[in-house]
Amino acid sequence: MPVELLKITKEQSETPLPNHLKNEDLKHLQEGCDHTNKYIQGIVILFYPVTKLRDGTDFFKIVLQGLDDLCSRINSINILIYGKMAKDCAKIIHHGDTFIVAGFKVIKSPTAKEDGRHDCHLEVSEETGSTIYVRGYPTFFFPQNTNINILLYIAPKYVYTPLNQLKDGTIVNLYGIVKFFKPPYVSKGTDYCSVVTVVDPSNVKLTCTLFSGNPDSLPKIYKVGDIVRFHRIKIREYSGQMQGITSGGFASLTFDGTVGAPVVPRSSSKMYTFVDEEHKTIEELRVWAASNISISGPAAKLSGVQPMLFFDLTCQLIGKAKVDGSSFLLKVWDGTECPYPTWRVPVEAKDVEGEKVVLHQLRNLMVDILVYDNHVQLAKSLQIGSFLRIYSIHAKQASADNEDVSHIEFHLHGGTCYGRGIGVLPENNPDVMELKAFLRSVDLGDGQNMESMFSVELDDTSGDYTGIHSAFCVYVYCFAVLTDHQDLNNTELKTIMNSKAPQEYRIRAKLRTYKPQKLRQSVKLHCSKCNSLQEVPNRDEFDLILERSAITASNPELHSTSWYDSVTWTTQDQKRKEITIHFVRHGEVVQDPENTLLMIEGGTSREIRKLTKKFKCVIPVRSTEDDLELLDLSAPFLLQGSVKYYGCKQCSTPKSVQNLSSMAAELHPSWEPTEIAQVLGIELLQYVFIMRFTLVDGTGALNAYLFDYEKFFRIPASEILTSSFLQERMETTMNMLCPPGRKLDDLPWLECFIKSYNVRDETNHRVCYQIFDTIIAEDVV
C-alpha cells in the first residue's frame, strides 16, 4: 500500500492504529507465543546500513529501546527487517524516532549474551504481513508502495540522572559542565576519540571517553565551562570511579556556558529534541558554574605570549605546508603582534598553501605553529581562512647555533595530555564573531600596504594575457585583470571627459569613493528584455504572499496526478496549517532528493528554506479549480539552494504548471532555472551588482558605473545576499581597492576599462561611463 500520513492531535493520531492491535510489553515477548494482534513500540537508538544477504535479499537492522525503561539495556531489542521494507525503512528512519511494528515474528536471539539485549529478536518483512509505523520528524521523501506509515513528531520525555546517582552498568541521560576536555583525535584504532570531564551541582565529577568513526558525531565542545547534554551514555565503574562511555544511540548537545549567552544547541546528530523546560536547566547550570568552576584560561592573544608558556589560541588560518612525515606547519594570526622575535619554519614558498598576497601582507603579524604526530592528519584537512582554537601550544624560547638573539618557537606537541589539540570554530561562534570584528579593525600600517606588493613573487603565467609584462603589473599592483583590448593605451581622465561619446578607454586611476557603502544594497534584479531594474524583495514580503496564498485550501482533485505524487499534513502549532507537497516524478518514480523538483502549497518561507537544503528545486504554488498556478510574481517562482529566482511582471506571461510535465518526461531532466522559466512563460530576472565608482588620477575625476553579474568580483550576484562568507569577501575586496581612512596619496592604483555612452531625454543630454571587461585579480579576492 502507498504511504499513509497519520496526523497527531494531542498526542493521539486522528487515524489511530487498527482497533484489533494491542500494545505488547517487551518483557512479555516469548518465542512460540501468539503475537498476531500485538504491536511493539520503542525509541530507535541504533541502526545499521542496509546490506544484502547471500540470496540478494535486502537486510536492515535497528535497535529499539522500550518506552517503559529508557535506561536499561535489557529493555532494548534487535529488529531485523527484510526485503523491500528494509530499503524503504532505511530511507526515513532517524535516531530518536518512535518505532511501532505489528505482524512480526519472535525468534530466539543468538547474540543476546554478547549485546546484553532481549533474549529474542523480531523479524519483519512484507511477505509475512508486517506493518511499520514511524513517529518522527516530518519527512519529505515518501517511497512508493511501502507499508511504512509516517506520523508527525512527538518529543519523548527524557529523565536526567544527577552525577551522584550514577550506577554501574546503566545507560543514562545526563547534564554536566565541562571541567576538562580533549578535542577529537585519532585513536589507536580507526575511530576518533574525545575525553570529557564534567561536573554538576551534586559536586561529583565524571570522566567520559567517547568514540566515533565520524568526528562530527562527538560533542562540539570549544572551551571549559561549556554545558553538555548526553543521551544514552553507558556508566561503568573502574578502580572505584564511575566512568562514561559511548553506547548504541549515544547523542549529545553542547551549549555555551556563559551566563546571558543565547541558548543555542550544538548537536552531534541531525535530529534531536530540545524542549522549553530544558532552557531553564541550562540557565540554572550556567549560574551554578559561574560561582563554582574556574573557567579562566591561559593567555589567548599573541600579544600576551611569554617564553615557556602553554596557552590556548583563537586565530585564523592563513597558510599551511607539509614539513616532514611527522610534522606540519600552520601559519595563523589573531590581529595582535607577538612581543618577541618569532621563528620562521624553513619551508619553500612554493610549498605553502594560501593566498600569496595575504601571506605577504600579514607577514609581520602571523606566526608559524609546528604541529606533530597525531595532530598532523587534522592539520592537513584544515581549510585556509577557517577559524581555529589550538589548545596547549608551547611557546618555547630558543636560539639558533649561529645567533646570539633568542626567539620564540610555537609547538603543538604530539599526544593529548593537558587537552592538546585543534578545534575548528564555526562562523557563528561568539569568539569567532568577536575576532572577525577585531581583525577588520586592525590597521596594517604603512609597512603592510599593498603598494609594497612589488616584491611578491607571483606566477605570471596565470590568466589569459596577450601582453605578459603589462598584465603582470596589473595583477600585482592594480588588482585587476584586463580580459581584452590589450591594444588600448592608458588615457587620462581629463582627456576622456573632454572627448565625445561613445568610446572605449583603458585607464589607471584611484578609487576615491564608491556607492552604496552598504554593499548588500548594490544587488538588484535586472530584466534584459525591458532593461528595467528593481530591488530584491525581502523575506517579509515573501512571507506575506505565502500567507495570502494559504487562505485558499489545496484542491484534493489536483493531488497525485500522472506526473507528480502529493502528500498533505497539518502542522502542530496553533495555526494548524495544512501543507501539501507535490513531488514531480521522472517516469514512474520520484528521483533522488538532489535531483527532484517539488511544488508546495501552504508553507512558510522557513519551511520552504528547509526543503531547498534537501531537494534540487522548490516551486511555491496554489490551487485553482482545475490546475495549480504560480503565486504573484512579487514572490520567487523558483527556489534552488539558497537562490530565489524572480520573474519580470511586465514581460512574463505565466503558463500553467502542467507544462512542467513535458520536462519531467525527458530522459534526463536538468531542472535548470532558465529552462523552467521558459516552460512556465517567465522572463527571468537576473541578479546584478550596480555600483558607482568615483575615480581620480590627478588630472580629473569622473563617476563610472559598475553593471556586473559575476565577473568583476568573481562572485555571483545571485548568491551574495545569502552568504556571509561572500559578503565578507566582497567587503575585503572593496577595502583593498578603497582602504578606509587612507589619504588620497596612499590609495592603491586600479587599472581598468571604461566606456562612455550618451544618455538623452526630452530636456537633457549627458555622458555617462561604465566599467567593462575588467576582473578583480584572484589573489585579491
Side-chain angles (χ1 to χ4, degrees), residues 489-667:
N489 295 319
N490 286 334
T491 304
E492 293 180 341
L493 298 185
K494 180 180 179 180
T495 302
I496 295 174
M497 291 186 291
N498 292 327
S499 302
K500 294 183 178 179
Q503 292 192 60
E504 296 180 348
Y505 306 95
R506 178 175 181 162
I507 68 168
R508 181 175 177 274
K510 296 184 177 186
L511 178 58
R512 185 169 66 189
T513 186
Y514 59 89
K515 289 185 178 181
Q517 289 289 309
K518 294 182 179 179
L519 297 176
R520 289 172 58 92
Q521 297 175 356
S522 67
V523 181
K524 312 292 182 186
L525 292 171
H526 174 245
C527 177
S528 57
K529 189 172 183 179
C530 65
N531 207 31
S532 63
L533 284 172
Q534 68 180 62
E535 298 293 331
V536 180
N538 59 39
R539 195 174 73 180
D540 291 340
E541 296 176 61
F542 188 23
D543 279 328
L544 186 59
I545 294 172
L546 291 172
E547 190 174 330
R548 288 200 208 103
S549 69
I551 297 175
T552 304
S554 179
N555 184 352
E557 295 182 4
L558 302 177
H559 292 187
S560 298
T561 68
S562 60
W563 60 285
Y564 61 78
D565 297 319
S566 306
V567 177
T568 300
W569 77 92
T570 302
T571 62
Q572 295 305 293
D573 54 20
Q574 294 180 346
K575 294 183 178 180
R576 302 282 296 162
K577 295 181 306 177
E578 189 175 81
I579 297 176
T580 301
I581 295 182
H582 309 283
F583 296 89
V584 176
R585 292 201 307 270
H586 176 50
E588 295 299 320
V589 298
V590 175
Q591 294 179 285
D592 292 333
E594 61 270 18
N595 297 318
T596 296
L597 179 143
L598 59 84
M599 300 173 287
I600 181 170
E601 296 183 71
T604 65
S605 61
R606 182 180 179 184
E607 290 159 342
I608 292 174
R609 192 164 61 251
K610 289 181 179 179
L611 288 170
T612 61
K613 293 180 179 179
K614 185 171 184 179
F615 296 90
K616 180 163 188 177
C617 295
V618 178
I619 297 180
V621 295
R622 60 187 166 208
S623 289
T624 64
E625 291 185 4
D626 52 8
D627 201 356
L628 299 174
E629 67 176 14
L630 299 174
L631 307 184
D632 184 329
L633 285 184
S634 297
F637 73 92
L638 172 70
L639 297 95
Q640 191 175 85
S642 61
V643 181
K644 299 182 180 73
Y645 292 91
Y646 294 86
C648 178
K649 291 183 179 181
Q650 181 175 329
C651 302
S652 298
T653 308
K655 299 178 182 178
S656 166
V657 298
Q658 178 70 29
N659 288 282
L660 292 172
S661 61
S662 62
M663 293 185 68
E666 295 175 0
L667 183 60

Side-chain angles (χ1 to χ4, degrees), residues 418-439:
Y418 309 106
R420 288 191 207 111
I422 304 172
V424 180
L425 303 180
E427 294 284 330
N428 60 355
N429 180 274
D431 293 336
V432 170
M433 295 171 70
E434 181 181 344
L435 177 59
K436 287 164 68 175
F438 176 70
L439 296 182

Side-chain angles (χ1 to χ4, degrees), residues 47 89 202 253 351 438 451 503 570 576 643 731-732:
F47 57 88
C89 188
S202 69
L253 293 182
D351 295 330
F438 176 70
E451 294 187 12
Q503 292 192 60
T570 302
R576 302 282 296 162
V643 181
E731 183 177 351
T732 300

Side-chain angles (χ1 to χ4, degrees), residues 104 117 172 200 342 364 400 465 515 520 526 600 686:
F104 49 81
R117 300 190 180 105
V172 301
D200 72 357
T342 58
N364 294 333
Y465 312 117
K515 289 185 178 181
R520 289 172 58 92
H526 174 245
I600 181 170
Q686 292 182 292

